[in-house]
Amino acid sequence: MADILYIVVPCYNEEAVLPETSARLRAKLEALIAADKISPDSRILFVNDGSRDRTWALISQLHQENPVFSGANLTRNRGHQNALLAGLMTAKDRADMVISMDADLQDDINAVDAMVDQYYAGCDIVYGVRSSREKDTFFKRFTAEGFYRVMRFLGADTVFNHADYRLMSRRALEGLAEFKEVNLFLRGIVPMIGYTTGIVEYQRGERFAGESKYPLKKMLSFAMEGITSLSTKPIRYITLLGFLIFLISMISLIYSIVRWANGATVLGWASVFCSVWAIGGLILLSLGIIGEYIGKIYLETKGRPRFLLKEVLDRHEEN
Ligand code: UDP
Ligand code: MG
């Protein structure tokens, strides 16, 4: 008997893409079932992340028409990462392997076959990695690749050019469930789980309908979230910076004393003015970064639930 696959798809205001996405995913799943690669109990699980449009109505309708479509409904919008986690945790107890992907099918669904093959070959986590970003705008490419570089520089272990398109086995998901953090950055946590991993390369396409739900503002806060929840290096750099500035001020102090002893008048209110502002700015910046961590600690100590589910639609024929 082949293993059960669940494809988890977080959806936020995706009524424009759902009809097409569901048709394509269903065709993919049916082909895999026909080839006996996955069990007929495999499902496509759409997670509705508190959409304001008809997304949930569409998901319920799909489920009515064909049990291959399952649905999970969050009580409100919790953001991509939490919606994805809700889907993964819902699928964990029902599936042997779970693949996560975006609703806009920017990730090539034909990579699913290779992921499933690698799963049977013994991989517990298979990362989908973009082989090129030709279809992305220059701006998106530049900011996204810059983000991966900064992450690496700050010591956060992420897979280059891998978004949230990946396969995870049930035991890998059970590992993920042990990570209880509220400040969730899946891309950084998944590599910490361990086990044998594999990579499948694919071309990333354009969003075929609807708009990106990740405008620049969300992207920046996502990057900040990623860095501060994976690495404490920024705090260390602040310490280094403070030390450096102290050293510079000592050197300039000695320099001024020597100048004064030689009778040269100390003019230059400009230099005083500038340095006061520079140091003031640095102090505020440093406090801000430290505050970012303290805010995270605050959120973690409360241990609030990361998502709440209103209902789950999932049915299997009795056999
Ligand atoms: N998404 C979500 N909740 C949100 C924002 C986005 O579940 O608050 C989902 C969205 O429906 C899509 C995925 O996250 O399936 C990625 O979003 P999008 O394609 O807009 O991001 P981009 O590809 O532009 O980075
Ligand atoms: Mg997209």
Side-chain angles (χ1 to χ4, degrees):
M1 190 64 175
D3 284 353
I4 301 175
L5 166 71
Y6 266 57
I7 298 181
V8 169
V9 187
C11 306
Y12 176 59
N13 294 344
E14 298 286 12
E15 64 180 5
V17 305
L18 264 179
E20 176 72 20
T21 298
S22 54
R24 285 201 217 168
L25 285 178
R26 189 179 130 194
K28 175 94 287 170
L29 214 68
E30 280 169 355
L32 283 167
I33 293 171
D36 217 18
K37 274 190 163 186
I38 55 172
S39 149
D41 272 327
S42 298
R43 295 285 180 265
I44 298 154
L45 174 65
F46 291 113
V47 183
N48 176 36
D49 185 17
S51 303
R52 290 164 206 281
D53 63 2
R54 294 187 53 250
T55 300
W56 181 247
L58 285 175
I59 295 170
S60 317
Q61 194 192 336
L62 285 167
H63 175 72
Q64 286 304 318
E65 286 164 12
N66 191 335
V68 77
F69 298 110
S70 299
N73 198 7
L74 266 68
T75 53
R76 51 162 296 183
N77 181 253
R78 297 288 290 128
H80 177 211
Q81 297 288 293
N82 287 307
L84 187 54
L85 182 77
L88 294 176
M89 292 302 116
T90 308
K92 173 170 72 80
D93 307 320
R94 304 159 200 255
D96 299 301
M97 55 181 136
V98 177
I99 293 179
S100 52
M101 62 169 77
D102 291 350
D104 53 11
L105 297 193
Q106 281 185 288
D107 308 311
D108 181 9
I109 64 167
N110 293 315
V112 164
D113 303 64
M115 285 184 176
V116 173
D117 287 342
Q118 293 213 20
Y119 163 81
Y120 284 118
C123 287
D124 278 279
I125 302 173
V126 185
Y127 298 104
V129 170
R130 279 166 229 176
S131 52
S132 80
R133 279 182 176 267
E134 275 160 24
K135 294 275 171 58
D136 279 351
T137 61
F138 171 76
F139 180 72
K140 178 99 188 182
R141 192 166 68 211
F142 182 75
T143 48
E145 287 191 346
F147 168 64
Y148 290 109
R149 295 224 164 79
V150 172
M151 292 286 281
R152 174 135 323 165
F153 175 72
L154 291 174
D157 183 15
T158 51
V159 180
F160 195 73
N161 264 345
H162 158 69
D164 283 306
Y165 186 26
R166 72 176 87 80
L167 177 144
M168 293 176 80
S169 68
R170 177 189 280 209
R171 61 175 184 172
L173 286 171
E174 271 157 10
L176 178 65
E178 295 299 315
F179 289 78
K180 307 281 187 203
E181 53 217 87
V182 183
N183 297 289
L184 192 66
F185 192 75
L186 285 171
R187 260 167 248 188
I189 295 173
V190 173
M192 292 183 198
I193 298 172
Y195 291 122
T196 314
T197 61
I199 280 180
V200 171
E201 290 206 349
Y202 67 94
Q203 298 267 343
R204 186 163 161 99
E206 280 169 83
R207 190 175 242 283
F208 65 82
E211 281 176 1
S212 170
K213 311 293 182 290
Y214 268 103
L216 182 64
K217 204 174 129 220
K218 262 200 198 173
M219 253 166 47
L220 283 178
S221 75
F222 185 63
M224 190 69 181
E225 181 77 13
I227 291 164
T228 51
S229 52
L230 285 175
S231 151
T232 48
K233 277 201 181 170
I235 295 185
R236 194 160 315 145
Y237 288 133
I238 290 174
T239 318
L240 263 170
L241 190 72
F243 185 71
L244 205 76
I245 290 175
F246 178 69
L247 214 69
I248 293 172
S249 73
M250 276 297 135
I251 291 169
S252 41
L253 184 71
I254 292 165
Y255 174 74
S256 324
I257 291 172
V258 171
R259 293 265 297 180
W260 176 75
N262 289 343
T265 11
V266 184
L267 287 168
W269 64 270
S271 56
V272 173
F273 181 81
C274 291
S275 51
V276 166
W277 275 76
I279 290 173
L282 283 174
I283 289 172
L284 283 182
L285 177 77
S286 311
L287 278 178
I289 294 178
I290 293 167
E292 200 59 46
Y293 284 97
I294 294 177
K296 285 220 148 64
I297 296 169
Y298 176 59
L299 289 175
E300 293 295 347
T301 53
K302 286 197 279 204
R304 286 183 178 160
R306 294 175 287 186
F307 58 84
L308 292 172
L309 284 172
K310 229 178 341 200
E311 59 196 303
V312 175
L313 304 176
D314 192 45
R315 63 193 149 102
H316 295 263
E317 308 307 326
E318 294 297 323
N319 45 11

